[in-house]
Structures are given as structure tokens and as C-alpha cells.
Amino acid sequence: MSKMPNGFLWGGATAANQCEGAFQEGGRGLSNIDFLPAGEHRRAVANGTLDPHTLEKVRFPSRSAIDHFHHYIEDIALFAEMGFRVYRFSVSWSRIFPQGDETVPNEEGLCFYENIIDECCKYGIEPLVTICHFDVPEHLIQKYGSWRSRKMIDFYLNLCRVLFARFKGKVKYWITFNEINMILHLPYMAAGLTFRDGENRLETCHIAAYHELLASAQAVRLAHEIDPESQIGCMLAAGNTYPYSCRPNDVLEAMLADRENFFFTDVQVRGHYPNYARKKLEREGITLPRQPEDAETLKQGTVDFVSFSYYNSMTASSDPNLQASKNGNIFSTIENPYLESSEWGWSIDPLGLRITLNTLYDRYQKPLFIVENGLGASDVFENNTVEDDYRINYLREHIRAMKDAVLLDGVDLIGYTAWGCIDLVSASSGEMRKRYGMIYVDADESCMGTLCRFRKKSFYWYQKVIASNGESLDG
């Protein structure tokens, strides 16, 4: 077989905070991402060590982005022209509940997402909706301290209840939290967490993660109660960690690094904290605010599928002289001498996608969904297009590896949504020049320009891939 199974979902992915813009239109409230600046301060704000409200003369790119808010009809028509069978997008929490703790949603915000979903349905595109994609209403951060407060669970479930009821029968696939493991690495960007003087940062992150895991479990049960046909999944930033050498100490370091990410999905798939995580928390002196009913909540709220992003693999060593010098989707890692790197220093490892798919499927025996995979690059726009053969090559080799995992190894895979199917603001760097899309958007670093959309060379290549169900990769 050279084609993917019938019904395989090909498509693309975006996030509200990276594409919508219109941050004060339609009754939308402010969110954490509206205060994530471009430039030198971005990482410090994202990891919670710098209060963005103290900054002056900085740009907040997500406030404008590519104005998908006013261009969604045109954008979805282009997705349909490419042949999308699924479109992954996220909702902006503060567009539906501007403060986050209201009881009545903002109807104008709900209508916006209903229009997006209806446009998808018009073209036979399956909506895949991420409920929380690095998005926390600013009011919830200021009043409750964001996810460090258990009250956030009820506010989140109120959002879920509204979404599940409103879009019952229209949306089958849901994701509870985007890259949930990022809360340990970029806590403000991922979960709106900033830290007080003297606060135990690691403990706060784990308490917030515990609340998110409880919220995710309750959301799964709620979705099934409202619409038994719905499928609800978890999502992590994935990519296996390789030992730098075959020294047993390096192998152990790689295993421990992987566990730091897998523990989230271990909980969401298996319904309880694994022993290794319990022991680590015990060693760190961290006590989670457990309540008697929590164990049953986690047990009863296991997910239907596991989705993940894959951009690169990582490398670990126990040798203190080997320092992490490379970046990949926020993670710092030791340079792998066998791999090439992207323009932004991320290792390029297509075979690593096959390895990651097998690792996750062997570990969980749940259907998988690749919901982010792509190459950020500086595109040259000439003659109303981009000759992005480098992007085609990256996607081709990763799709080949994906096909091997499915057709040769037997991995159960629902679909593949290429990240940044249209150019958008980069989450890691805040740049527009770091482009992922197969559709070029005329916008500069200040998100200024005509905002006209243009098809890149990769647009037509991916169109043929989808039309052939993955058989035509060289077209």
C-alpha cells in the first residue's frame, strides 16, 4: 500500500491567538497572549519572570496578527481549494467569556466561531477545535492568579459546556489543552502564570498543571454526556529524546527527559499520576491540593485520542560538559551531530516522527492525531508566490515517515494537520518573518501590509498530496 487508509484526515492547523487579531472587536476581552511582546522581552514574559504590564514601546503581535477575524471566509475557501478534510483551530476564551468568570457567554463571539464551523461544513471540512490554546482571560489572571486557583476548573467547564452544547452535531473532534506540557517551560504563555517574590515556581506550575488535568478529565465526561458521538483528546508537544551516546547514564537522562513530558498524557490516558511522577513530586517537596473525589475524576475522564505536535527530536546526556545549545519548539537540547537544522536552529528529523508515533502508540494504544508539523522559514515573495521547495522537502520527508508508521508499523492515526497552513505570528519568537504557511500573507513584522493572501508553491504540492491520499509526494 502507498496510500493512507480511507477516511484519513488531511488538513492544516492554526491558533486563535496567532491568526485572529481583532483583539478588541466583537465584545472580546483581553487575554494573556495580548500581553506577549515581540522582541527581546518575549521569552522573559513567556516564562513568567517579567511582568508585561511594566513594558513600554513594545509590540504585541497577536493583537493584529493576520486578521483572520475578517478574512476567515477567504481563508477557509483556500483551505478547501487545497483539499482539506480537517481544519484545526482554537477558540479565544475571552471572545466567548470576555472576563472568563461570567455565567452568560458573549453571543457575538459564539456567532463568529459558528460561522467558521459552518464555512468548514459547507466544504466538507471536519472542524477540530482546541478549547484552550495558550489562552487565559486577563481578568482571571489578575483576580484569581490563573490556574494556580482551583476555581479555574469551573470557569473552564462553563466554557466547555457552552461550546459542546452550541456545536453538538457540528464538531466531532475536540482537544482540551494545547501542548499541556508547556506549562512547565513557558508558564505565562501556556497558562497565564506569573510568580510572586519567594514563590516556589516549580510547585506553582505543578499545582496549575494538576488543575488543568482535572479540568481536562471533567471536560471529557461533559463532552460525552452532551454529545456521545464526540471524540475528545489531549495534546502534547512531542518528540523523542535520544541519548547522546550508548552510555547507560545518557540513556537514563533521555528516559527522564521524556518522562517529564509523558507524565501529562500518562494521566490523561491512564487516569492517574504514574508512580515515577509521584516520586519526583515527593523528592521536590511538592504537595498537590488533592481532594477526595479527584482520583475518581481522573479515572473517569480519560481521553479518546492522543494528539501532538512534532517539530524535532531532542538529545540528552549526563556529561556536564555537553551543554544544551539548540532550540526546538521552546525546548533546549544538545546538538545532534547527525541532523541538519532549520534557519531557526531546530533540528530536522523526519525519522524522529516515525519513532515518536511508535513510542506514543506503544505506550497508550489509543488513536493518535498529528495536529502540528511544519517548517518555519524566511520566505522570499516574488511574482505573487513563494518558491518554497525547502518547505515541500521538509513536509514530504515527514509525511513519508508518518506513512511508514501507519502502513508498516500499524500505528492507528486519525489525521495530519500541517502547522501554519497559512502564515501567522510565530508563538516561539513572535515574528511574522518566521513563516510556516502554504499560503503567504502580505504582512510585515508589525503585522502591517495589504494582508492579501497568495498561494505558495507548497500550496499546489499539498493539494496533490491530499488528492492522492498521500500517494503522490513528489508531484
Side-chain angles (χ1 to χ4, degrees), residues 428-440:
S428 59
S429 69
E431 298 169 301
M432 271 302 303
R433 73 183 186 92
K434 187 182 182 185
R435 296 174 181 268
Y436 284 86
M438 290 166 274
I439 300 167
Y440 184 88

Side-chain angles (χ1 to χ4, degrees), residues 352-371:
L353 177 56
R354 180 180 177 182
I355 294 169
T356 297
L357 281 162
N358 276 279
T359 297
L360 290 171
Y361 193 61
D362 288 349
R363 192 178 187 98
Y364 300 126
Q365 294 294 300
K366 289 270 188 179
L368 305 181
F369 209 140
I370 302 171
V371 294

Side-chain angles (χ1 to χ4, degrees), residues 319-336:
D319 185 348
N321 295 316
L322 287 172
Q323 299 296 316
S325 60
K326 305 286 286 186
N327 290 320
N329 197 15
I330 305 305
F331 302 106
S332 295
T333 183
I334 295 169
E335 183 173 4
N336 187 328

Side-chain angles (χ1 to χ4, degrees), residues 167-431:
F167 303 126
K168 177 181 179 180
K170 290 185 177 181
V171 177
K172 177 181 179 181
Y173 296 103
W174 301 89
I175 296 170
T176 55
F177 290 94
N178 176 72
E179 293 184 336
I180 192 169
N181 49 324
M182 281 296 182
I183 196 171
L184 299 181
H185 305 280
L186 295 177
Y188 179 79
M189 183 170 80
L193 293 176
T194 55
F195 304 95
R196 310 179 186 98
D197 289 342
E199 185 176 11
N200 185 325
R201 176 189 175 100
L202 183 61
E203 182 174 53
T204 296
C205 286
H206 273 284
I207 288 172
Y210 182 64
H211 291 150
E212 286 194 349
L213 289 167
L214 288 170
S216 176
Q218 292 185 56
V220 172
R221 295 182 66 184
L222 183 63
H224 292 160
E225 288 170 6
I226 293 175
D227 184 2
E229 299 301 314
S230 64
Q231 296 284 298
I232 188 160
C234 58
M235 193 236 177
L236 79 157
N240 271 66
T241 304
Y242 303 143
Y244 187 78
S245 74
C246 56
R247 290 177 64 240
N249 287 349
D250 285 359
V251 175
L252 178 63
E253 285 296 318
M255 182 191 77
L256 295 176
D258 278 339
R259 275 182 169 179
E260 186 171 275
N261 292 323
F262 288 147
F263 113 78
F264 290 90
T265 39
D266 282 350
V267 177
Q268 291 173 296
V269 175
R270 295 170 175 163
H272 58 85
Y273 269 61
N275 286 342
Y276 69 81
R278 291 175 179 271
K279 287 292 185 181
K280 182 175 182 180
L281 293 174
E282 184 180 303
R283 289 194 300 274
E284 297 285 352
I286 295 172
T287 301
L288 299 178
R290 294 187 176 93
Q291 294 187 7
E293 68 275 13
D294 290 353
E296 189 64 19
T297 295
L298 294 176
K299 181 180 178 181
Q300 296 298 323
T302 55
V303 294
D304 300 307
F305 64 90
V306 176
S307 69
F308 65 96
S309 61
Y310 178 84
Y311 294 98
N312 54 273
S313 57
M314 289 157 286
T315 309
S317 173
S318 60
D319 185 348
N321 295 316
L322 287 172
Q323 299 296 316
S325 60
K326 305 286 286 186
N327 290 320
N329 197 15
I330 305 305
F331 302 106
S332 295
T333 183
I334 295 169
E335 183 173 4
N336 187 328
Y338 299 100
L339 300 176
E340 296 181 355
S341 297
S342 74
E343 186 178 350
W344 266 264
W346 297 20
S347 61
I348 298 175
D349 183 11
L351 183 57
L353 177 56
R354 180 180 177 182
I355 294 169
T356 297
L357 281 162
N358 276 279
T359 297
L360 290 171
Y361 193 61
D362 288 349
R363 192 178 187 98
Y364 300 126
Q365 294 294 300
K366 289 270 188 179
L368 305 181
F369 209 140
I370 302 171
V371 294
E372 289 186 30
N373 174 239
L375 176 70
S378 296
D379 290 339
V380 177
F381 181 67
E382 292 180 337
N383 301 317
N384 290 335
T385 191
V386 175
E387 297 290 326
D388 56 341
D389 292 286
Y390 43 86
R391 181 168 293 110
I392 293 171
N393 291 336
Y394 176 97
L395 294 172
R396 177 193 294 119
E397 295 311 308
H398 282 78
I399 290 173
R400 278 180 174 154
M402 175 187 77
K403 288 176 61 179
D404 286 344
V406 173
L407 301 178
L408 300 181
D409 305 330
V411 169
D412 184 359
L413 187 63
I414 299 170
Y416 172 90
T417 58
W419 175 251
C421 45
I422 185 170
D423 290 343
L424 35 66
V425 174
S426 167
S428 59
S429 69
E431 298 169 301

